[in-house]
Amino acid sequence: MTGLHEPTLPAEWELVVGLEVHVELATQTKLFCGCANEFSTEPNTNVCPTCLGLPGSLPVMNETVVDFAMRLGRALGCSIHPSVMARKNYFYPDMAKDFQTTQYDQPTNRDGELALADGTVVGIERAHIEEDAGKTTHVGGGGRINDATYSLVDYNRAGVPLVEIVSHPDIRTVEHAKAYVSELRDILLAIAVSDAKMEEGSMRVDANVSVRPVGSSELRTRCELKNINSIRSLGRAIEYEACRHVDLYESDEAPRQETRHWDEDGGRSTAGRSKEDADDYRYFQEPDLVPLTPTPEQVAAIDGAMPVLPAARRARLGELSAVADDVVATVVERCQDALALGAIEAGADADKVLTRIQNDLAVDDWSAVTGQTLATLVQMESGGELSATQAKQVLADMAAGNHGGDPKSIAEARGFEAMESDALETLIDQLINDNPDEWFRFTSDDEGDRKKMQGFFTGQIMKATKGQADGRAVAELLSRKSAG
Amino acid sequence: MSALDIAAAVRSGERSAADVVDEYLARIDARDGELNAFNLVLAEEARAAAAAVDATVAAGDDPGPLAGVPVALKDNMCTRGVATTCSSKILEGWQPPYDATVVERLAAAGAVAVGKTNLDEFAMGSSTENSAFGPTRNPLDVDRVPGGSSGGSAAAVAAGLAAISLGSDTGGSIRQPAAFCGVVGMKPTYGAVSRYGLIAFGSSLDQIGPFSTSVADSAAVLEVIGGHDPLDSTSIDAPTFDLQAVLDRGVEGLRIGILRELSGGPDSVEGITSDVQDRAAAAAAALEAAGASVQEVSVPSATLGLSAYYLVAPAEASSNLSRFDGVRFGLRIDAPTTGEMMTATRTAGFGTEVKRRIMLGTYALSAGYYDAFYGKALKVRTLMLAEFATAYEQVDLLLTPTAPTTAFPLGERTADPMTMYVNDVCTIPSNLTGHPGISVPFGVGDDGMPVGVQLLGPALSEPTIYQAAAVLEEVAP
Amino acid sequence: MSERITRDEVIHVARLARLELTDAEIDEFTGQLGDILEHAADVEALDVGDIEPTSHPLPMSNVLRADVRRLSLERNEFLAQAPAAEAGQFRVPPILGEEP
Ligand SMILES: [Mg+2]
Ligand SMILES: [Zn+2]
């Protein structure tokens, strides 16, 4: 149906997408038992009677899960409700009790919204608490589920707390779908309830995709796409699926409502084996757990402790600087905006601070860097005490905590002595004197020649100063001298 | 010898726990071949536990309030490293890696577990005939049933094979067999005893309680096994009962209500035999003679209990029993795919009554029927709670027969499930409301078999119940 | 045969419950479940319009535990009880059908 190229949705069709995002909460223990909520390479080591579903075992709700879930709900503008857990009954070997304990008709969080960077608002239907399943590994037959010779089950992940965030089908473009997930991830990181890594499965996105003719308001048959492992993959999957629907409609067929598996390598979705029985999960209230009834005071406390969310943080940095939006977005996403604000407040140039952070502070641990030390570094660079290359090296040392993270001590230890402006000028004069032909070509009108010679002189200066000269200062001096 | 007498003798060093255990093990040896009260006898473990109790006594340390008391555990309570079967083929041979909370608490109190007792498979039944390991027989007449589902635990105590035992009561499974075997059986308030480690039947109804030969023993055991357990979310976070202190208070001034809808006569559910009705009336009269005031009280929705129960309990059971799928423990019947393996395992592993209830519960929860059946049954519970609350404004306790009849002959009711289910008609309402109830022997029926009368009270009224039960025990014929 | 539940419904319910019934069992259950549901007609017929359902006999709420680790089980102990195990995991026949 489609060729080798990535398909694009024809202009007369409109995309209708709703997303269901499962987020693993970063608690110490699982949802209903005291087993560690941590990744373990050794299977079945973080398990107990409760998460193994052994006969006689009982669940007890983790208070941090409730707190995290409500925090997330409030960050998404949801109202908080009294809730009950329900059992969703189905047989599957990775579901230890052969039912999933989840919130059904009475979820904690309802009716929120998520605003995308361009102002588009996506409605959130609910964000409910539920438990994760274990993991099955398929052995033989190339590891694929349908031709394995047998499977192995590890319950380390069984009972890990999840919040499932269900959006309304408000998303109309692939870009918006991607932006939604990216914004949601930033929020999760900001409120510190999950590490939200799609690649590692701590954030899993299922997309409900349908299409309709532009101008129509109908909701046509949707398919649920699973196994989407990155934001890029989400875009591809939605686009592919939408085109598949259009192709079907245009050949007088129609998609079936079904769950489909996204095949990233093949760039296509494939139908799951259809179930023998229609979905009949026989939901009923979990009798082994009691209702949750959050008080207005609890909700107020959560609101009171709510950190400033990414959208507002981006806006703040945007007001202070003139750098591109994506630089600001990166800094906020890495939660380095407080650091940036500190440095700006300490007197450093906002654009330089943000650029320096974005370019040179993409490390896991930068806790040794403070607003003050970063400001000092940026100012040393602006003042010509450090070249760009040197500043980068000093920042790396600061992040590593060397010399107490103090940029001056680091620069000194590295032997980065300030190149006096006078000394630099003397050096340049000397070079002009020694290389008159090159200098003539530098001052000529030939743009190519000029560029080449700029490289020549800069190289010579760097060589002579062992890289300590500030590139920008050199360029300025060269241009001043050629002009006059 | 009562459990409290045994404990007193062992604690004082007058008698060794080892000696007590040997005496009970010898009786089990002599009698259980015929009764089949036990699925498993823990001779070696019991002797080791008794020796430990004796060592504690010898060391001058406190061996606990139930020191050396031989206890039998219904085989649906998890015992670490000891087979726990629910009298089902699907769990045969399974050794749980953990102990139920009640098992831990009994051991900590010095009690000595002598064995795991037979039950209706997964506690589903009223006669202990639905066991994969054969029926238990009533020690008072071996051609009759001991009642159920905790028939093994009731028979063990009645026959002196254990001084006390634990059962579980989802719709009457402690009180009805206690009545049939002529012993005391107590179902505490829902949440008063931890369910952690009790293999679930109907999670919102199940409650563990003791069998004993005396009301005082019953109170002593409930004091030990009761109290808050952080591993059970439905466990009541309240101080443990002080029950032994109330036993000699008498019933002067207590208001007892005869529950009209469960006592025979007009407006009552049918099927309560006249001899049983007479014994219950005599019990009320005896309490009145002892100083209580007695009046008739009406709880109209009590007649709906049976129907509501046979929707709620199977619904919860159908979900609770899903985990018996051949993947992690117990029986597996191999098949080419996991789905087929699960079906083959469950088909071979569950007995007919269990399948019937799983079917009923699955149906009651399934799309399209939920509102008509399960949803309505939950509303009946609301109605019953409200009507019982009104009743308990008029009286302190309610009195009814425990079961409509005395113990019936083996095989008499196995053909038709409904005739078996009506056995629970008097006991079921307090499971739906979560209220406590005790069955105390009160004379015999026309057939010479024991009759039990039941005292019911509101949530956490255990002290009042024991107070009246002690009097009933004293005045019983 | 009762009208309260049909043979086809019994077959459907058995499939949901992962039970395989013989023809004789299907007939038997169709009759018996019909009888039980017939008995439940008093509940079904009840006018309980504005009555709230009670799932739980006790009015409890917010029972929570602290987010603190407890010891997990020794793997050898429970895997020894498994019908089939391999490489520290539970082994099962091939899983056909889509994940739910
Ligand atoms: Mg879900
Ligand atoms: Zn666990």
Side-chain angles (χ1 to χ4, degrees), chain A residues 429-440 456-457 460:
Chain A
D429 288 341
Q430 182 71 43
L431 279 169
I432 292 171
N433 217 25
D434 293 352
N435 303 284
D437 290 351
E438 284 79 1
W439 183 248
F440 177 75
F456 167 80
F457 282 106
Q460 291 293 313

Side-chain angles (χ1 to χ4, degrees), chain A residues 49 52-60 87 89 91-93 96-99 155 280 282-284 287-290, chain B residues 78 94 97-98 195-198 203 230-233 319-320 322-323 325 327-329 346 362 365-367 370 374:
Chain A
L52 272 179
L54 296 187
S57 64
L58 292 173
V60 186
R87 292 185 183 179
N89 293 286
F91 287 88
Y92 205 76
K97 300 165 292 182
D98 289 295
F99 59 78
Y155 294 96
D280 187 345
R282 289 156 283 134
Y283 284 100
F284 71 106
D288 289 328
L289 290 164
V290 300
Chain B
C78 288
W94 179 58
Y98 75 111
R195 294 183 294 118
Y196 188 76
L198 170 69
S203 306
L231 297 179
D232 176 357
S233 304
S319 174
N320 285 330
S322 292
R323 69 189 64 193
D325 62 3
V327 173
R328 291 165 306 282
F329 50 80
R346 292 165 62 78
T362 304
L365 287 175
S366 65
Y370 181 98
Y374 187 72

Side-chain angles (χ1 to χ4, degrees), chain C residues 60-94:
Chain C
M60 298 172 81
S61 58
N62 303 320
V63 175
L64 300 165
R65 64 179 178 86
D67 185 18
V68 173
R69 283 180 68 162
R70 275 170 57 94
L71 219 56
S72 290
L73 288 173
E74 186 59 50
R75 189 170 68 185
N76 293 338
E77 194 177 351
F78 62 80
L79 274 188
Q81 301 289 314
E86 181 179 310
Q89 304 195 57
F90 296 90
R91 182 177 161 154
V92 293

Side-chain angles (χ1 to χ4, degrees), chain A residues 20 22 88 100 102 128 130 164:
Chain A
E20 290 172 19
H22 287 84
K88 178 183 184 180
Q100 183 193 30
T102 177
H128 65 260
E130 63 184 24
E164 179 178 345

Side-chain angles (χ1 to χ4, degrees), chain B residues 250-256 291-294 396-397 464-465 467-468:
Chain B
V251 289
E252 193 82 48
L254 268 192
R255 299 166 301 164
I256 307 285
S293 67
V294 175
D396 299 303
L397 300 174
T464 317
I465 286 183
Q467 186 185 336

Side-chain angles (χ1 to χ4, degrees), chain B residues 70-409:
Chain B
V71 57
L73 303 167
K74 188 175 181 178
D75 201 14
N76 61 353
M77 298 172 196
C78 288
T79 41
R80 183 170 183 177
V82 170
T84 301
T85 68
C86 285
S87 290
S88 179
K89 279 192 282 185
I90 211 160
L91 265 189
E92 195 169 359
W94 179 58
Q95 297 177 359
Y98 75 111
D99 277 327
T101 297
V102 289
V103 172
E104 275 181 358
R105 289 189 178 179
L106 280 174
V112 174
V114 292
K116 307 288 297 280
T117 60
N118 200 5
L119 62 147
D120 286 299
E121 185 179 356
F122 284 99
M124 295 176 182
S126 308
S127 65
T128 318
E129 291 167 293
N130 303 327
S131 164
F133 312 129
T136 295
R137 290 166 181 272
N138 192 315
L140 306 173
D141 177 350
V142 293
D143 293 326
R144 292 176 190 261
V145 302
S149 65
S150 313
S153 284
V157 168
L161 313 188
I164 52 170
S165 63
L166 294 188
S168 63
D169 189 314
T170 307
S173 284
I174 293 173
R175 291 161 289 165
Q176 182 256 20
F180 279 16
C181 293
V183 297
V184 176
M186 172 70 179
K187 183 205 89 86
T189 301
Y190 183 83
V193 178
S194 170
R195 294 183 294 118
Y196 188 76
L198 170 69
I199 299 177
F201 163 15
S203 306
S204 76
L205 306 157
D206 296 342
Q207 190 59 191
I208 292 174
F211 289 94
S212 59
T213 55
S214 75
V215 171
D217 280 359
S218 182
V221 178
L222 183 51
E223 283 179 358
V224 165
I225 61 173
H228 183 241
D229 179 8
L231 297 179
D232 176 357
S233 304
T234 62
S235 165
I236 296 170
D237 196 358
T240 41
F241 299 117
D242 187 5
L243 301 172
Q244 295 186 74
V246 306
L247 298 177
D248 56 0
R249 285 193 187 161
V251 289
E252 193 82 48
L254 268 192
R255 299 166 301 164
I256 307 285
I258 294 172
L259 207 171
R260 183 190 301 155
E261 285 79 7
L262 300 179
S263 294
D267 301 334
S268 170
V269 294
E270 287 166 27
I272 301 173
T273 57
S274 61
D275 53 344
V276 169
Q277 288 181 38
D278 290 349
R279 292 294 86 75
L287 286 174
E288 192 166 27
S293 67
V294 175
Q295 67 184 99
E296 201 178 61
V297 174
S298 173
V299 180
S301 60
T303 59
L304 295 170
L306 192 67
S307 302
Y309 173 85
Y310 277 97
L311 296 171
V312 173
E316 292 179 359
S318 71
S319 174
N320 285 330
L321 268 57
S322 292
R323 69 189 64 193
F324 299 90
D325 62 3
V327 173
R328 291 165 306 282
F329 50 80
L331 182 73
R332 172 184 293 185
I333 303 297
D334 260 314
T337 69
T338 288
E340 291 164 293
M341 179 278 283
M342 287 178 171
T343 300
T345 299
R346 292 165 62 78
T347 300
F350 289 135
T352 304
E353 182 61 28
V354 173
K355 286 179 188 168
R356 181 156 42 235
R357 298 206 197 185
I358 290 174
M359 293 287 296
L360 182 57
T362 304
Y363 177 79
L365 287 175
S366 65
Y369 300 103
Y370 181 98
D371 290 338
F373 292 115
Y374 187 72
K376 275 249 172 85
L378 296 184
K379 293 180 173 186
V380 169
R381 282 180 100 162
T382 313
L383 200 63
M384 289 180 75
L385 277 162
E387 290 184 8
F388 271 103
T390 306
Y392 290 127
E393 284 168 11
Q394 303 162 56
V395 294
D396 299 303
L397 300 174
L398 290 167
L399 186 145
T400 77
T402 305
T405 67
T406 56
F408 45 86

